[in-house]
Amino acid sequence: QVQLVESGGGLVQPGGSLRLSCAASGFTFSIYAMSWYRQAPGKQREMVARISNNGRSTYYADSVKGRFTISRDNGKNTVYLQMNSLKPEDTAVYYCTRYTADYWGQGTQVTVSS
């Protein structure tokens, strides 16, 4: 029973930072690449970051490159997304998923305003 629970979202000012967490269970976490997606109102869900199963390879969308950092702790079955220099355009619900994208968590809301 795959479960993905995102947390850490909130309201931040432009230029601020947040760290999102995704607690995974129900599968062998350490053999799956993991991704963060986001969905803003009226827009398609888009991938913003991906990390390989061993954490040695990462991918970032151009829109977040240099500002966001994805990481993982396989001992804790947890993926993180450190978001710095946040912009209003980053406002969205953020989701994590394994690379097969067959399960999704409830998402966590990130709002960048003021």
Side-chain angles (χ1 to χ4, degrees):
Q1 298 177 359
V2 173
Q3 288 194 289
L4 301 162
V5 181
E6 300 94 339
S7 62
L11 174 64
V12 295
Q13 297 184 86
S17 297
L18 282 173
R19 189 181 76 153
L20 308 184
S21 298
C22 172
S25 61
F27 64 100
T28 306
F29 180 80
S30 61
I31 68 171
Y32 279 87
M34 298 293 294
S35 300
W36 283 97
Y37 286 72
R38 67 185 181 189
Q39 187 167 31
K43 297 182 65 177
Q44 294 286 324
R45 190 174 295 182
E46 63 173 342
M47 185 190 298
V48 297
R50 185 179 67 242
I51 188 166
S52 62
N53 66 315
N54 60 15
R56 293 177 179 171
S57 298
T58 57
Y59 162 86
Y60 299 96
D62 287 343
S63 58
V64 309
K65 194 172 297 182
R67 300 187 297 119
F68 290 12
T69 303
I70 188 170
S71 61
R72 67 190 296 159
D73 185 338
N74 284 351
K76 296 181 178 179
N77 284 10
T78 301
V79 186
Y80 305 95
L81 187 67
Q82 178 66 47
M83 306 186 296
N84 298 325
S85 302
L86 283 162
K87 304 175 180 180
E89 309 92 86
D90 297 318
T91 295
V93 179
Y94 284 72
Y95 301 88
C96 71
T97 188
R98 62 188 190 178
Y99 89 94
T100 47
D102 51 350
Y103 293 90
W104 300 84
Q106 83 286 353
T108 186
Q109 175 71 50
V110 172
T111 303
V112 185
S113 182
S114 220

